[in-house]
């Protein structure tokens, strides 16, 4: 029994990446999902819905099926079994070092969210 259960529904923001299997590693498919967060109040009293980007990774046969099935712009659901946060440093617009953060979800299952977009 796994202790971590994560469910996300989001749109694929960029072209997904696929790494075919080799003799040492299974196939891997990776995509960045844009996920809407909860309504957040602004200082003027109005609310907005923030969009967060979450990387979703799947391995093995599921990665091969994802590579064959999912493209940029499609709305998918991911059921994850692990969550990995990471930080990294990049250059900002002014050239100053900027620390950024990212979240990666290791998915156990992926599926097209046909409730919100028609399946073709």
């Amino acid at each position: 029994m796994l202790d971590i259960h994560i469910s996300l529904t989001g749109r694929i923001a960029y072209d997904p990446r696929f790494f075919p299997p080799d003799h040492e590693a299974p196939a891997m498919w990776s995509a960045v999902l844009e996920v809407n967060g909860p309504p957040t109040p602004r200082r003027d009293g109005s609310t907005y819905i923030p969009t967060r980007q979450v990387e979703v990774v799947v391995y093995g046969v599921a990665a091969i099926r994802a590579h064959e099935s999912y493209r940029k712009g499609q709305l998918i659901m991911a059921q994850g079994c692990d969550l990995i946060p990471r930080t990294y440093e990049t250059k900002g617009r002014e050239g100053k070092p900027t620390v950024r953060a990212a979240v990666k979800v290791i998915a156990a299952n992926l599926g097209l969210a046909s409730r919100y977009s028609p399946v073709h």
Side-chain angles (χ1 to χ4, degrees):
M1 175 85 177
L2 299 173
D3 289 335
I4 299 174
H5 298 278
I6 303 158
S7 294
L8 299 170
T9 300
R11 194 164 303 281
I12 299 175
Y14 310 105
D15 289 325
R17 297 181 301 162
F18 177 69
F19 302 95
D22 61 16
H23 65 281
E24 294 180 4
M28 183 182 101
W29 182 84
S30 171
V32 175
L33 296 186
E34 289 183 340
V35 180
N36 290 335
T40 304
R42 293 184 174 158
R43 290 184 184 187
D44 63 1
S46 65
T47 60
Y48 72 100
I49 298 176
T51 301
R52 296 180 173 46
Q53 292 190 338
V54 179
E55 182 182 8
V56 174
V57 177
V58 66
Y59 295 98
V61 175
I64 296 168
R65 298 290 181 242
H67 174 63
E68 295 170 350
S69 303
Y70 307 126
R71 303 285 176 259
K72 175 183 171 183
Q74 289 182 316
L75 193 65
I76 65 170
M77 296 183 303
Q79 292 179 335
C81 59
D82 197 7
L83 178 76
I84 303 168
R86 67 181 176 96
T87 59
Y88 58 97
E89 189 174 294
T90 63
K91 298 283 185 185
R93 290 183 181 159
E94 300 84 29
K96 295 181 181 177
T98 303
V99 176
R100 300 191 186 274
V103 175
K104 179 169 43 172
V105 172
I106 306 300
N109 298 309
L110 293 175
L112 194 62
S114 59
R115 178 177 178 189
Y116 303 105
S117 63
V119 176
H120 298 287

